[in-house]
Amino acid sequence: MAEYDEHPAYPVGLRLNGRRVVIVGGGQVAQRRLPALIATGADITLVSPSATASVEAMADAGEIRWERRRYQDGDLTDTWYALVASSDAAANDAASAEAERTRTWCVRSDDAEAATAWTPATGRSEGITIAVLTTTSHGRDPRHSAAVRDAIVEGLRDGTLAAPHHRTRAPGVALVGGGPGDPDLITVRGRRLLAEADVVIADRLGPRDLLDELPPHVEVIDAAKIPYGRYMAQEAINQALIDHAKAGKSVVRLKGGDPFVFGRGMEEAQALAAEGIACTVVPGISSSISVPGAAGIPVTHRGVAHEFTVVSGHVAPEDPRSLVDWKALAQLRGTLVLLMAVDKIGAISRALIAHGKSPETPVALVQEGTTAAQRRVDATLADVGERVVAEDVRPPAVIVIGEVVGVGTGPEPAGPLDAEPLEG
Ligand SMILES: C[S@@+](CC[C@H](N)C(=O)[O-])C[C@H]1O[C@@H](n2cnc3c(N)ncnc32)[C@H](O)[C@@H]1O
């Protein structure tokens, strides 16, 4: 068996565009391999009496040609590459023999040793294709290949693997939604941009733990501490983004949740556009959905709530600056999710009740959701104002009003990270 070590497989990238590829067998193996083969632009024929629903959908969409029958000799004529993966051992052997005869590179899912080609574990990140083949003295080791592939792809995606001189540190600004607080809840793209940044301007909310991981040369600026002299705070932040970008830096503006949900993200994007500075926006997981979820509350639930409305409670209902129609909200049957509403919840609950919402409507307040400090306080619309004071609920908190508050009752989630997603 030393043969594998002495004669390792030769890695190669096949350019299959427009070239005939034949797949024998329409099961799980074909289903897994087909998307990458289709992406090459290959002219793909599937020979198989049956196929999985997903493979059938690819045939229906015209991405592959499907001949609904058993393999027969001659199917590999003019074929560049064959994948033999049917449950019919005799057909596999016959197809493999034809491939050998016609000098067609042939992968076999049932017998790697009889194959003339092996499929590596592959992954892609930002224009790089990673292909890993592990061979030992015992033959192939696909699990090891997949594990190595995963480690490489993850490293490239989160930026930890790129050699410093290869990092794509384009000057400009990325407005990155950091998610609700748990550092694992930022997007892959956001995390990679963070790893590539020269300057990070961060809000108080969001995944602050990620800032500790940044290399020492990265300048981390607390947005709340930017001196704003004759500017308003937001203008001072805009100016800081502009100044650093103009100095040729790669700047990440790290925001809590999603940049465009009460995040003033568009104001920053517009200020940058006015200066001709390139700006990328990376969406984030908004606290409005994820924080209730982390506390076991789905914002919708079949048969309970068919809508949810996210509302800012930063100004009281009677305040002339308020743009919210509290009367209309009181008529809705669905879920109300209030952000920035801890201070004004007493006035808000009174307004909702005055406009007809039941005082018995369940309410939950979730403070510092998805972090180690997460806590949930339950109330009703009638007593929520008192409960907030009695329980000393403080911002940041998401307040959920509606029957969905009760649907997840049962065992409390063991912790913020263990909250089980609920399916409708
Ligand atoms: C200025 S808004 C920004 C919202 C953010 N852009 C988002 O999409 O989640 C701040 C409010 O979001 C809510 N919030 C953000 N993170 C939170 C968290 N981890 N736990 C509870 N509430 C949170 C609170 O209502 C807080 O007052």
Side-chain angles (χ1 to χ4, degrees):
M1 278 287 180
E3 185 202 343
Y4 291 105
D5 278 336
E6 285 169 22
H7 302 293
Y10 182 72
V12 66
L14 297 183
R15 299 175 65 212
L16 295 172
N17 185 22
R19 302 201 158 101
R20 177 171 164 86
V21 169
V22 172
I23 298 182
V24 178
Q28 294 296 332
V29 176
Q31 182 173 316
R32 285 215 336 257
R33 301 276 179 249
L34 269 168
L37 281 168
I38 290 169
T40 66
D43 173 16
I44 303 170
T45 297
L46 168 70
V47 179
S48 180
S50 60
T52 67
S54 302
V55 171
E56 189 168 355
M58 295 176 208
D60 290 346
E63 295 174 311
I64 61 172
R65 195 175 315 108
W66 180 15
E67 303 199 0
R68 291 183 193 227
R69 56 173 175 76
R70 283 194 70 211
Y71 160 81
Q72 61 198 32
D73 196 47
D75 277 344
L76 300 192
T77 304
D78 295 334
T79 298
W80 293 74
Y81 180 74
L83 168 60
V84 172
S86 82
S87 53
D88 178 342
N92 289 351
D93 286 342
S96 179
E98 183 183 355
E100 185 77 32
R101 219 172 52 238
T102 57
R103 305 288 187 265
T104 305
W105 293 112
C106 176
V107 172
R108 279 188 72 161
S109 66
D110 59 343
D111 186 352
E113 221 169 310
T116 53
W118 289 333
T119 310
T122 54
R124 271 171 208 87
S125 175
E126 300 280 317
I128 301 172
T129 300
I130 297 102
V132 181
L133 270 179
T134 317
T135 46
T136 69
S137 55
H138 303 294
R140 283 195 328 145
D141 189 348
R143 279 176 195 225
H144 191 195
S145 302
V148 173
R149 181 265 326 270
D150 289 347
I152 296 171
V153 171
E154 197 179 323
L156 287 173
R157 285 190 176 153
D158 68 17
T160 53
L161 202 62
H165 61 284
H166 280 143
R167 284 191 177 157
T168 48
R169 285 198 330 212
V173 178
L175 301 183
V176 175
D182 179 341
D184 279 357
L185 294 179
I186 190 172
T187 61
V188 171
R189 186 180 298 172
R191 193 161 183 152
R192 183 174 49 74
L193 287 168
L194 206 53
E196 292 167 3
D198 302 308
V199 177
V200 176
I201 301 183
D203 280 341
R204 283 269 155 78
L205 291 176
R208 294 195 69 89
D209 290 1
L210 288 176
L211 302 178
D212 291 344
E213 294 175 10
L214 296 174
H217 72 268
V218 179
E219 188 183 354
V220 178
I221 300 169
D222 184 340
K225 293 201 180 134
I226 291 178
Y228 52 93
R230 64 194 174 86
Y231 287 111
M232 299 287 286
Q234 186 62 54
E235 275 79 61
I237 293 170
N238 295 352
Q239 196 58 49
L241 294 171
I242 291 164
D243 291 346
H244 287 290
K246 282 192 170 169
K249 306 281 186 185
S250 164
V251 185
V252 164
R253 171 77 174 105
L254 183 64
K255 304 171 89 66
D258 183 274
F260 290 162
V261 178
F262 306 134
R264 305 190 74 166
M266 190 50 86
E267 292 172 50
E268 293 172 6
Q270 286 169 336
L272 292 162
E275 297 286 331
I277 295 169
C279 169
T280 308
V281 180
V282 182
I285 297 179
S286 177
S287 65
S288 54
I289 299 173
S290 57
V291 166
I297 303 169
V299 291
T300 66
H301 193 67
R302 192 154 55 91
V304 177
H306 286 180
E307 89 254 359
F308 68 99
T309 308
V310 182
V311 186
S312 168
H314 78 290
V315 291
E318 63 274 11
D319 191 309
R321 290 170 301 167
S322 174
L323 300 178
V324 179
D325 186 343
W326 292 100
K327 186 175 177 193
L329 292 180
Q331 313 307 314
L332 295 177
R333 285 189 59 175
T335 309
L336 292 180
V337 180
L338 308 184
L339 269 52
M340 299 181 283
V342 172
D343 288 349
K344 306 287 189 305
I345 188 61
I348 290 171
S349 60
R350 284 193 295 278
L352 288 170
I353 291 169
H355 288 303
K357 197 145 189 83
S358 164
E360 301 310 315
T361 310
V363 179
L365 305 101
V366 186
Q367 181 178 328
E368 292 178 71
T370 78
T371 73
Q374 173 175 315
R375 66 190 278 244
R376 168 177 170 172
V377 171
D378 283 70
T380 63
L381 203 53
D383 70 8
V384 63
E386 293 152 33
R387 298 276 294 146
V388 163
V389 177
E391 296 284 341
D392 194 22
V393 177
R394 290 162 189 259
V398 171
I399 304 178
V400 188
I401 302 174
E403 298 302 327
V404 290
V405 166
V407 302
T409 48
E412 272 279 299
L417 297 177
D418 300 329
E420 287 213 334
L422 299 165
E423 287 188 355

